[in-house]
Amino acid sequence: MNTYSLAVIGGDGIGPDVTQAALAGVQAAAERYGFTVRTTSFDLGAEHYLRTGEVMDRPTTVALEKHDAVLLGAVGDPRVAPGILERGLVVALRTAFNQSVNIRPVRLYPGVESPVRGVTSQNCDLVVVRENTEGLYTGGGSLSHAGSDRAVAVQNSITTAGATAEAVEFAFQLAQQRRRRVTLCHKTNILVHAGQLWQQTVNRIAESYPEVEHDYVHADAMCQHLPLDPGRFDVIVTDNLFGDIISDLGATVQGGLGLAASANFNPRGTAPSMYEPVHGSAPDIAGKGWANPAAAALSAALCLAGLGQREAALSLEAAVASVVAELPALAGPEMGADTAALGHRIAQRVAEGEPVRDGTGEQSLMSALGRLAQRAHPMSV
């Protein structure tokens, strides 16, 4: 029996609640599909920072790295200035663990209504693959003469051939397992140097995947095409900033941030990947049970897929989809059940539901990622 060690960072606000609800589904999947999951909780987030004055020390990073994967709930607290927790924890782990690829599924599940007219579960199933460690998010820059009318802010953007190639290669591998189309999203007409490097990288790597089509869409045009015609896209590959923006647009199309999952993925397998819901910590509703755990549970399903447990991932995803389809509302007391109860309901569906064997399951992100993980780590399944 395979055993996986998960580091669990509940974080702030609703983070601990949705994470515990998601773990109920993970444990149910483990029992059903014959593997073991052992969890270790790490006290990181706003309370830890306010208590100690540091976000994360080196021994903690080393301890986290010894795990097979990391589950993160959410970070953010009004008592802590913006950027401290986000950079000191989330961005720091992405960099330390070489999580060079961010995976954001945009899938509208049956029974969930999109706010965009004409979008259905039949035409909304795409993936945004975002370079995760470079671009404008590297943090380099300066602010001179702060607070005066002579203030000058410089924010550096870095694009390297290595990180770009890693993201593009992964996008083509993923598309090969799905509907065989990759779309590069950038601003090659304005950001000519970085854009040229991205386009040249796509053109070069595409030669190794002759069965995968590829095209290009400007980032501003993508903001129109994605909501109006999501079925046009299969796998979108883009840089850090554009990926952050268009994947949140995709979250709106799929029904809201409460359904948006993500993976900070190390495609080389040299360190653990980190899985987190996209929504914030929502400290105003912490402890009330009003948070929908769907995004956290879907992120946990991505984690199972990334560990090579494809059938377990599909089962957890199907359970989440069936539960959210029945909810009268996707958040708040109007859901008709609290966070923990929904987690229990999801876990029951995993334990009792039928295996996912249809064609949609075969092409889904969970299935594709699971096959790639099985190929990379054949002894883990």
Side-chain angles (χ1 to χ4, degrees):
M1 178 182 289
N2 292 319
T3 299
Y4 302 100
S5 60
L6 299 186
V8 178
I9 305 172
D12 305 319
I14 62 173
D17 293 341
V18 297
T19 302
Q20 286 304 310
L23 283 171
V26 170
Q27 293 294 353
E31 291 178 13
R32 178 169 183 177
Y33 291 95
F35 59 94
T36 301
V37 173
R38 295 176 180 169
T39 63
T40 304
S41 295
F42 286 81
D43 177 22
L44 296 171
E47 293 296 342
H48 174 80
Y49 173 74
L50 293 169
R51 186 173 64 248
T52 66
E54 61 182 0
V55 179
M56 182 175 58
D57 57 20
R58 178 60 184 166
T60 302
T61 306
V62 172
L64 286 166
E65 191 170 10
K66 295 177 181 178
H67 292 75
D68 294 309
V70 180
L71 292 183
L72 172 64
V75 295
D77 189 289
R79 296 171 295 171
V80 180
I84 292 177
L85 297 173
E86 294 84 355
R87 286 197 172 277
L89 181 58
V90 181
V91 175
L93 288 176
R94 290 173 179 174
T95 303
F97 295 164
N98 294 312
Q99 295 165 351
S100 60
V101 174
N102 184 275
I103 307 170
R104 286 282 299 271
V106 179
R107 183 177 181 185
L108 181 63
Y109 291 101
V112 177
E113 185 176 352
S114 172
V116 183
R117 185 175 59 186
V119 176
T120 69
S121 58
Q122 285 74 42
N123 66 10
C124 182
D125 182 6
L126 60 101
V127 184
V128 178
V129 172
R130 161 188 169 193
E131 195 289 314
N132 206 34
T133 59
E134 295 188 344
L136 283 165
Y137 288 52
T138 56
S142 63
L143 177 61
S144 303
H145 309 297
S148 75
D149 58 4
R150 295 181 296 114
V152 177
V154 177
Q155 195 78 48
N156 298 329
S157 180
I158 296 175
T159 304
T160 68
T164 302
E166 196 155 77
V168 171
E169 183 83 39
F170 180 81
F172 272 89
Q173 291 176 350
L174 195 60
Q176 190 175 47
Q177 298 292 320
R178 285 172 47 89
R179 301 196 309 276
R180 299 186 175 184
R181 172 179 283 274
V182 170
T183 300
L184 170 62
C185 174
H186 210 278
K187 281 290 289 182
T188 56
N189 58 338
I190 298 297
L191 305 178
V192 293
H193 304 299
Q196 183 180 30
L197 178 55
W198 273 91
Q199 187 64 72
Q200 289 176 345
T201 303
V202 168
N203 294 344
R204 174 175 57 81
I205 291 177
E207 295 178 358
S208 300
Y209 298 87
E211 69 281 13
V212 178
E213 300 178 18
H214 67 95
D215 62 356
Y216 172 83
V217 174
H218 284 319
D220 44 358
M222 179 64 72
C223 292
Q224 177 176 0
H225 294 312
L226 193 156
L228 295 180
D229 187 15
R232 168 179 174 176
F233 302 106
D234 177 18
V235 177
I236 299 170
V237 65
T238 186
D239 83 342
N240 211 337
L241 176 62
F242 296 142
D244 193 2
I245 294 169
I246 67 169
S247 57
D248 277 1
L249 175 60
T252 298
V253 174
Q254 74 179 110
L257 286 174
L259 298 173
S262 77
N264 301 287
F265 197 67
N266 178 329
R268 292 178 251 174
T270 56
S273 297
M274 180 168 63
Y275 303 84
E276 56 174 321
V278 176
H279 60 66
S281 59
D284 57 319
I285 63 169
K288 295 183 177 181
W290 293 355
N292 190 334
L298 290 170
S299 300
L302 279 174
C303 175
L304 293 178
L307 293 172
Q309 292 292 342
R310 173 178 164 273
E311 290 188 2
L314 285 168
S315 179
L316 181 51
E317 180 186 32
V320 175
S322 71
V323 169
V324 298
E326 299 169 351
L327 297 181
L330 291 178
E334 295 81 8
M335 290 189 298
D338 64 19
T339 308
L342 290 175
H344 178 68
R345 193 180 300 177
I346 290 169
Q348 281 188 314
R349 299 286 170 88
V350 171
E352 301 169 0
E354 292 295 324
V356 179
R357 302 189 186 279
D358 60 22
T360 301
E362 288 301 312
Q363 289 189 343
S364 76
L365 171 60
M366 303 297 174
S367 190
L369 183 59
R371 286 196 295 268
L372 289 176
Q374 289 172 353
R375 182 186 303 172
H377 308 289
M379 297 304 293
S380 67
V381 294

